[in-house]
Amino acid sequence: QVQLVESGGGSVQAGGSLRLSCVAEGGIFSLAVMGWYRQAPGKQRELVASITSIGNRDYADSVKGRFTISRDNAKNTVYLEMNSLKPEDTAVYYCRYYRTPFTYWGQGTQVTVSS
């Protein structure tokens, strides 16, 4: 019942920045834990950042200090601001919506960082 539409992916040189957006349609966005995950070729999907309904944030150690997750409940949108990008950030980035007991995933958006 929840559809997630990601945007903002693309190609950027190392050191550059991108902002990913994810708009949720359906569900109760303001009560959901939202997150960004990524999966690089040949690797498992990993949590990049999450934000709870009350604004608590978690980050993977590899992105802490470089990425910022935020949400705008009025727009049903979660953002991931990515700065100082590194080639190892290259992956498909997925938006995740979680509200007990259900999880929904976006289709993913490709982020490619070249050296």
Side-chain angles (χ1 to χ4, degrees), residues 22-73:
C22 173
V23 179
E25 299 178 356
I28 307 176
F29 181 85
S30 62
L31 298 181
V33 177
M34 300 299 299
W36 288 97
Y37 292 70
R38 67 187 182 189
Q39 187 166 24
K43 296 185 177 181
Q44 296 185 60
R45 187 174 299 185
E46 64 175 352
L47 173 70
V48 176
S50 66
I51 183 167
T52 71
S53 61
I54 61 172
N56 292 330
R57 295 167 168 86
D58 282 319
Y59 296 95
D61 288 342
S62 60
V63 308
K64 189 171 293 185
R66 299 188 297 121
F67 291 9
T68 302
I69 189 170
S70 61
R71 67 193 297 159
D72 186 341
N73 288 342

Short mmCIF file of all heavy atoms in Angstrom, two decimals, residues 22-73:
data_model
loop_
_atom_site.label_atom_id
_atom_site.label_comp_id
_atom_site.label_asym_id
_atom_site.label_seq_id
_atom_site.Cartn_x
_atom_site.Cartn_y
_atom_site.Cartn_z
N CYS A 22 13.15 10.81 -1.66
CA CYS A 22 12.22 9.69 -1.72
C CYS A 22 10.87 10.18 -1.25
O CYS A 22 10.73 10.64 -0.11
CB CYS A 22 12.72 8.54 -0.85
SG CYS A 22 11.55 7.18 -0.67
N VAL A 23 9.89 10.09 -2.13
CA VAL A 23 8.53 10.51 -1.82
C VAL A 23 7.68 9.27 -1.59
O VAL A 23 7.66 8.36 -2.42
CB VAL A 23 7.93 11.35 -2.95
CG1 VAL A 23 6.50 11.76 -2.60
CG2 VAL A 23 8.79 12.59 -3.20
N ALA A 24 6.99 9.24 -0.47
CA ALA A 24 6.12 8.12 -0.12
C ALA A 24 4.69 8.46 -0.46
O ALA A 24 4.18 9.53 -0.10
CB ALA A 24 6.25 7.79 1.36
N GLU A 25 4.04 7.54 -1.13
CA GLU A 25 2.62 7.66 -1.43
C GLU A 25 1.88 6.57 -0.68
O GLU A 25 2.17 5.39 -0.85
CB GLU A 25 2.37 7.56 -2.92
CG GLU A 25 3.06 8.65 -3.72
CD GLU A 25 2.85 8.52 -5.21
OE1 GLU A 25 2.22 7.53 -5.64
OE2 GLU A 25 3.31 9.41 -5.96
N GLY A 26 0.91 6.96 0.11
CA GLY A 26 0.21 6.00 0.95
C GLY A 26 0.90 5.85 2.29
O GLY A 26 1.97 6.42 2.55
N GLY A 27 0.28 5.08 3.16
CA GLY A 27 0.82 4.89 4.49
C GLY A 27 0.66 6.13 5.34
O GLY A 27 0.00 7.11 4.97
N ILE A 28 1.26 6.07 6.51
CA ILE A 28 1.27 7.22 7.41
C ILE A 28 2.72 7.61 7.58
O ILE A 28 3.43 7.13 8.46
CB ILE A 28 0.62 6.89 8.76
CG1 ILE A 28 -0.78 6.31 8.55
CG2 ILE A 28 0.56 8.13 9.64
CD1 ILE A 28 -1.47 5.87 9.82
N PHE A 29 3.17 8.49 6.72
CA PHE A 29 4.58 8.81 6.62
C PHE A 29 5.15 9.32 7.94
O PHE A 29 6.25 8.94 8.34
CB PHE A 29 4.82 9.84 5.52
CG PHE A 29 6.25 10.22 5.33
CD1 PHE A 29 7.08 9.46 4.53
CD2 PHE A 29 6.77 11.35 5.96
CE1 PHE A 29 8.41 9.81 4.36
CE2 PHE A 29 8.09 11.71 5.79
CZ PHE A 29 8.91 10.93 4.98
N SER A 30 4.41 10.17 8.61
CA SER A 30 4.92 10.81 9.82
C SER A 30 5.21 9.82 10.93
O SER A 30 5.97 10.15 11.85
CB SER A 30 3.95 11.88 10.31
OG SER A 30 2.69 11.31 10.65
N LEU A 31 4.63 8.64 10.88
CA LEU A 31 4.83 7.64 11.92
C LEU A 31 5.84 6.56 11.52
O LEU A 31 6.11 5.66 12.31
CB LEU A 31 3.50 6.98 12.28
CG LEU A 31 2.42 7.90 12.86
CD1 LEU A 31 1.17 7.10 13.20
CD2 LEU A 31 2.93 8.65 14.08
N ALA A 32 6.36 6.65 10.34
CA ALA A 32 7.25 5.63 9.83
C ALA A 32 8.71 5.94 10.10
O ALA A 32 9.12 7.11 10.12
CB ALA A 32 7.04 5.46 8.33
N VAL A 33 9.47 4.88 10.30
CA VAL A 33 10.92 4.99 10.27
C VAL A 33 11.34 4.94 8.81
O VAL A 33 10.99 4.00 8.10
CB VAL A 33 11.60 3.87 11.07
CG1 VAL A 33 13.12 3.98 10.96
CG2 VAL A 33 11.16 3.91 12.53
N MET A 34 12.07 5.93 8.39
CA MET A 34 12.54 5.99 7.02
C MET A 34 14.04 5.75 6.98
O MET A 34 14.77 6.15 7.88
CB MET A 34 12.21 7.33 6.38
CG MET A 34 10.74 7.66 6.34
SD MET A 34 9.78 6.46 5.36
CE MET A 34 10.56 6.66 3.74
N GLY A 35 14.47 5.11 5.93
CA GLY A 35 15.89 4.83 5.83
C GLY A 35 16.37 4.80 4.40
O GLY A 35 15.59 4.68 3.45
N TRP A 36 17.66 4.93 4.29
CA TRP A 36 18.35 4.75 3.02
C TRP A 36 19.32 3.58 3.16
O TRP A 36 20.09 3.51 4.12
CB TRP A 36 19.12 6.00 2.60
CG TRP A 36 18.26 7.13 2.15
CD1 TRP A 36 17.84 8.19 2.88
CD2 TRP A 36 17.71 7.29 0.84
NE1 TRP A 36 17.05 9.01 2.12
CE2 TRP A 36 16.96 8.49 0.85
CE3 TRP A 36 17.77 6.56 -0.35
CZ2 TRP A 36 16.28 8.96 -0.26
CZ3 TRP A 36 17.09 7.03 -1.45
CH2 TRP A 36 16.36 8.22 -1.40
N TYR A 37 19.25 2.68 2.23
CA TYR A 37 20.14 1.53 2.15
C TYR A 37 20.84 1.55 0.81
O TYR A 37 20.39 2.21 -0.13
CB TYR A 37 19.36 0.22 2.31
CG TYR A 37 18.78 0.00 3.68
CD1 TYR A 37 17.72 0.76 4.14
CD2 TYR A 37 19.29 -0.99 4.52
CE1 TYR A 37 17.18 0.55 5.41
CE2 TYR A 37 18.76 -1.22 5.77
CZ TYR A 37 17.71 -0.45 6.21
OH TYR A 37 17.17 -0.66 7.46
N ARG A 38 21.93 0.83 0.72
CA ARG A 38 22.61 0.74 -0.56
C ARG A 38 23.15 -0.67 -0.77
O ARG A 38 23.42 -1.40 0.18
CB ARG A 38 23.74 1.76 -0.66
CG ARG A 38 24.92 1.52 0.27
CD ARG A 38 25.89 2.69 0.20
NE ARG A 38 27.05 2.48 1.04
CZ ARG A 38 27.97 3.41 1.30
NH1 ARG A 38 27.85 4.62 0.75
NH2 ARG A 38 29.00 3.13 2.08
N GLN A 39 23.30 -1.01 -2.01
CA GLN A 39 23.84 -2.30 -2.38
C GLN A 39 24.78 -2.13 -3.55
O GLN A 39 24.37 -1.72 -4.64
CB GLN A 39 22.74 -3.29 -2.72
CG GLN A 39 23.23 -4.70 -2.94
CD GLN A 39 22.11 -5.72 -2.95
OE1 GLN A 39 20.95 -5.38 -3.23
NE2 GLN A 39 22.43 -6.95 -2.63
N ALA A 40 26.03 -2.43 -3.31
CA ALA A 40 27.04 -2.40 -4.36
C ALA A 40 27.09 -3.77 -5.03
O ALA A 40 26.71 -4.78 -4.43
CB ALA A 40 28.40 -2.04 -3.77
N PRO A 41 27.57 -3.82 -6.26
CA PRO A 41 27.65 -5.11 -6.95
C PRO A 41 28.42 -6.15 -6.15
O PRO A 41 29.52 -5.87 -5.66
CB PRO A 41 28.36 -4.77 -8.26
CG PRO A 41 28.04 -3.33 -8.49
CD PRO A 41 28.02 -2.72 -7.12
N GLY A 42 27.84 -7.33 -6.00
CA GLY A 42 28.50 -8.40 -5.29
C GLY A 42 28.49 -8.29 -3.79
O GLY A 42 29.10 -9.12 -3.11
N LYS A 43 27.82 -7.29 -3.25
CA LYS A 43 27.79 -7.08 -1.81
C LYS A 43 26.36 -7.10 -1.29
O LYS A 43 25.41 -6.95 -2.04
CB LYS A 43 28.47 -5.76 -1.44
CG LYS A 43 29.94 -5.70 -1.77
CD LYS A 43 30.57 -4.41 -1.26
CE LYS A 43 32.06 -4.38 -1.54
NZ LYS A 43 32.68 -3.13 -1.02
N GLN A 44 26.25 -7.30 0.02
CA GLN A 44 24.94 -7.29 0.65
C GLN A 44 24.42 -5.87 0.80
O GLN A 44 25.19 -4.91 0.85
CB GLN A 44 25.01 -7.95 2.03
CG GLN A 44 25.39 -9.42 2.02
CD GLN A 44 25.33 -10.03 3.39
OE1 GLN A 44 24.26 -10.04 4.02
NE2 GLN A 44 26.45 -10.53 3.86
N ARG A 45 23.11 -5.76 0.86
CA ARG A 45 22.50 -4.47 1.10
C ARG A 45 22.80 -4.04 2.52
O ARG A 45 22.73 -4.83 3.46
CB ARG A 45 20.98 -4.55 0.88
CG ARG A 45 20.28 -3.21 0.96
CD ARG A 45 18.80 -3.34 0.59
NE ARG A 45 18.63 -3.83 -0.78
CZ ARG A 45 17.45 -3.93 -1.38
NH1 ARG A 45 16.35 -3.59 -0.74
NH2 ARG A 45 17.39 -4.39 -2.62
N GLU A 46 23.16 -2.77 2.68
CA GLU A 46 23.54 -2.26 3.98
C GLU A 46 22.81 -0.97 4.29
O GLU A 46 22.47 -0.19 3.40
CB GLU A 46 25.05 -2.03 4.06
CG GLU A 46 25.56 -0.95 3.11
CD GLU A 46 27.03 -0.65 3.29
OE1 GLU A 46 27.65 -1.15 4.23
OE2 GLU A 46 27.57 0.11 2.45
N LEU A 47 22.59 -0.77 5.57
CA LEU A 47 21.99 0.48 6.03
C LEU A 47 22.98 1.62 5.86
O LEU A 47 24.13 1.53 6.27
CB LEU A 47 21.58 0.36 7.50
CG LEU A 47 21.10 1.65 8.17
CD1 LEU A 47 19.73 2.06 7.61
CD2 LEU A 47 21.02 1.49 9.68
N VAL A 48 22.51 2.70 5.27
CA VAL A 48 23.30 3.91 5.15
C VAL A 48 22.91 4.90 6.24
O VAL A 48 23.76 5.44 6.96
CB VAL A 48 23.14 4.55 3.77
CG1 VAL A 48 23.90 5.87 3.69
CG2 VAL A 48 23.60 3.60 2.68
N ALA A 49 21.62 5.15 6.36
CA ALA A 49 21.12 6.10 7.34
C ALA A 49 19.65 5.84 7.58
O ALA A 49 18.94 5.36 6.69
CB ALA A 49 21.33 7.55 6.88
N SER A 50 19.18 6.16 8.77
CA SER A 50 17.77 6.04 9.08
C SER A 50 17.34 7.21 9.95
O SER A 50 18.17 7.84 10.62
CB SER A 50 17.45 4.71 9.78
OG SER A 50 18.06 4.65 11.06
N ILE A 51 16.06 7.48 9.94
CA ILE A 51 15.51 8.54 10.76
C ILE A 51 14.15 8.08 11.26
O ILE A 51 13.31 7.63 10.48
CB ILE A 51 15.44 9.88 9.99
CG1 ILE A 51 14.92 11.00 10.90
CG2 ILE A 51 14.62 9.75 8.71
CD1 ILE A 51 15.13 12.39 10.30
N THR A 52 13.94 8.19 12.56
CA THR A 52 12.69 7.75 13.15
C THR A 52 11.63 8.83 13.04
O THR A 52 11.89 9.95 12.58
CB THR A 52 12.87 7.39 14.63
OG1 THR A 52 13.08 8.59 15.39
CG2 THR A 52 14.05 6.45 14.84
N SER A 53 10.43 8.48 13.48
CA SER A 53 9.32 9.42 13.43
C SER A 53 9.55 10.65 14.30
O SER A 53 8.95 11.70 14.05
CB SER A 53 8.02 8.73 13.85
OG SER A 53 8.11 8.24 15.18
N ILE A 54 10.41 10.52 15.31
CA ILE A 54 10.70 11.66 16.18
C ILE A 54 12.05 12.31 15.86
O ILE A 54 12.50 13.19 16.60
CB ILE A 54 10.63 11.29 17.67
CG1 ILE A 54 11.65 10.21 18.03
CG2 ILE A 54 9.22 10.84 18.03
CD1 ILE A 54 11.75 9.96 19.52
N GLY A 55 12.67 11.87 14.78
CA GLY A 55 13.87 12.54 14.32
C GLY A 55 15.18 11.98 14.78
O GLY A 55 16.23 12.60 14.53
N ASN A 56 15.18 10.83 15.45
CA ASN A 56 16.44 10.20 15.82
C ASN A 56 17.10 9.61 14.58
O ASN A 56 16.44 8.98 13.76
CB ASN A 56 16.22 9.11 16.86
CG ASN A 56 15.77 9.67 18.20
OD1 ASN A 56 16.13 10.78 18.57
ND2 ASN A 56 15.00 8.89 18.93
N ARG A 57 18.39 9.80 14.48
CA ARG A 57 19.12 9.41 13.28
C ARG A 57 20.21 8.39 13.59
O ARG A 57 20.85 8.44 14.64
CB ARG A 57 19.77 10.63 12.62
CG ARG A 57 18.77 11.64 12.08
CD ARG A 57 19.48 12.94 11.74
NE ARG A 57 18.66 13.86 10.98
CZ ARG A 57 17.82 14.74 11.52
NH1 ARG A 57 17.67 14.80 12.84
NH2 ARG A 57 17.12 15.55 10.74
N ASP A 58 20.41 7.48 12.67
CA ASP A 58 21.52 6.54 12.72
C ASP A 58 22.22 6.57 11.38
O ASP A 58 21.58 6.73 10.34
CB ASP A 58 21.05 5.12 13.02
CG ASP A 58 20.74 4.89 14.48
OD1 ASP A 58 21.49 5.38 15.33
OD2 ASP A 58 19.74 4.21 14.77
N TYR A 59 23.54 6.40 11.42
CA TYR A 59 24.34 6.39 10.21
C TYR A 59 25.32 5.23 10.24
O TYR A 59 25.82 4.86 11.31
CB TYR A 59 25.15 7.68 10.06
CG TYR A 59 24.34 8.92 9.90
CD1 TYR A 59 24.02 9.72 10.99
CD2 TYR A 59 23.89 9.32 8.64
CE1 TYR A 59 23.28 10.88 10.82
CE2 TYR A 59 23.15 10.47 8.47
CZ TYR A 59 22.84 11.25 9.57
OH TYR A 59 22.11 12.40 9.41
N ALA A 60 25.59 4.70 9.08
CA ALA A 60 26.70 3.78 8.97
C ALA A 60 28.00 4.52 9.27
O ALA A 60 28.15 5.70 8.93
CB ALA A 60 26.76 3.18 7.57
N ASP A 61 28.92 3.84 9.91
CA ASP A 61 30.19 4.47 10.24
C ASP A 61 30.89 5.03 8.99
O ASP A 61 31.56 6.06 9.05
CB ASP A 61 31.11 3.48 10.94
CG ASP A 61 30.68 3.18 12.36
OD1 ASP A 61 29.89 3.96 12.93
OD2 ASP A 61 31.14 2.16 12.91
N SER A 62 30.71 4.36 7.88
CA SER A 62 31.40 4.75 6.66
C SER A 62 30.91 6.07 6.08
O SER A 62 31.61 6.68 5.26
CB SER A 62 31.28 3.65 5.61
OG SER A 62 29.92 3.41 5.29
N VAL A 63 29.73 6.51 6.49
CA VAL A 63 29.18 7.75 5.93
C VAL A 63 29.01 8.84 6.97
O VAL A 63 28.69 9.98 6.61
CB VAL A 63 27.83 7.51 5.22
CG1 VAL A 63 27.97 6.38 4.20
CG2 VAL A 63 26.73 7.21 6.21
N LYS A 64 29.21 8.51 8.23
CA LYS A 64 29.02 9.49 9.29
C LYS A 64 29.93 10.70 9.07
O LYS A 64 31.13 10.56 8.81
CB LYS A 64 29.29 8.86 10.65
CG LYS A 64 28.90 9.74 11.83
CD LYS A 64 28.99 8.97 13.15
CE LYS A 64 27.95 7.88 13.23
NZ LYS A 64 27.95 7.20 14.55
N GLY A 65 29.34 11.86 9.16
CA GLY A 65 30.08 13.09 8.93
C GLY A 65 30.05 13.56 7.49
O GLY A 65 30.42 14.72 7.22
N ARG A 66 29.63 12.70 6.59
CA ARG A 66 29.55 13.06 5.18
C ARG A 66 28.11 13.11 4.66
O ARG A 66 27.80 13.92 3.80
CB ARG A 66 30.34 12.07 4.31
CG ARG A 66 31.83 12.02 4.64
CD ARG A 66 32.59 11.18 3.63
NE ARG A 66 32.14 9.79 3.65
CZ ARG A 66 31.64 9.14 2.60
NH1 ARG A 66 31.51 9.77 1.42
NH2 ARG A 66 31.27 7.87 2.69
N PHE A 67 27.27 12.23 5.19
CA PHE A 67 25.88 12.15 4.74
C PHE A 67 24.95 12.67 5.83
O PHE A 67 25.24 12.53 7.02
CB PHE A 67 25.49 10.70 4.44
CG PHE A 67 26.15 10.08 3.24
CD1 PHE A 67 27.20 10.70 2.58
CD2 PHE A 67 25.71 8.85 2.79
CE1 PHE A 67 27.80 10.11 1.48
CE2 PHE A 67 26.30 8.25 1.69
CZ PHE A 67 27.35 8.87 1.03
N THR A 68 23.84 13.22 5.41
CA THR A 68 22.82 13.68 6.34
C THR A 68 21.45 13.23 5.86
O THR A 68 21.09 13.48 4.71
CB THR A 68 22.82 15.22 6.47
OG1 THR A 68 24.10 15.66 6.92
CG2 THR A 68 21.77 15.66 7.48
N ILE A 69 20.72 12.56 6.74
CA ILE A 69 19.36 12.17 6.43
C ILE A 69 18.40 13.16 7.09
O ILE A 69 18.64 13.62 8.20
CB ILE A 69 19.06 10.72 6.87
CG1 ILE A 69 17.71 10.26 6.35
CG2 ILE A 69 19.15 10.57 8.39
CD1 ILE A 69 17.45 8.77 6.54
N SER A 70 17.35 13.49 6.39
CA SER A 70 16.35 14.40 6.92
C SER A 70 14.99 14.02 6.35
O SER A 70 14.89 13.25 5.40
CB SER A 70 16.68 15.86 6.60
OG SER A 70 16.73 16.08 5.20
N ARG A 71 13.95 14.56 6.95
CA ARG A 71 12.61 14.28 6.46
C ARG A 71 11.75 15.52 6.53
O ARG A 71 11.95 16.40 7.38
CB ARG A 71 11.97 13.13 7.26
CG ARG A 71 11.67 13.46 8.73
CD ARG A 71 11.34 12.20 9.52
NE ARG A 71 10.13 11.54 9.03
CZ ARG A 71 9.82 10.27 9.24
NH1 ARG A 71 10.67 9.50 9.93
NH2 ARG A 71 8.69 9.76 8.77
N ASP A 72 10.80 15.59 5.64
CA ASP A 72 9.82 16.65 5.60
C ASP A 72 8.46 15.98 5.58
O ASP A 72 8.00 15.51 4.53
CB ASP A 72 10.02 17.53 4.37
CG ASP A 72 9.11 18.74 4.36
OD1 ASP A 72 8.08 18.74 5.07
OD2 ASP A 72 9.41 19.71 3.63
N ASN A 73 7.84 15.90 6.74
CA ASN A 73 6.58 15.19 6.84
C ASN A 73 5.46 15.85 6.04
O ASN A 73 4.54 15.17 5.59
CB ASN A 73 6.16 15.05 8.31
CG ASN A 73 7.02 14.06 9.07
OD1 ASN A 73 7.70 13.23 8.47
ND2 ASN A 73 7.00 14.15 10.39
#
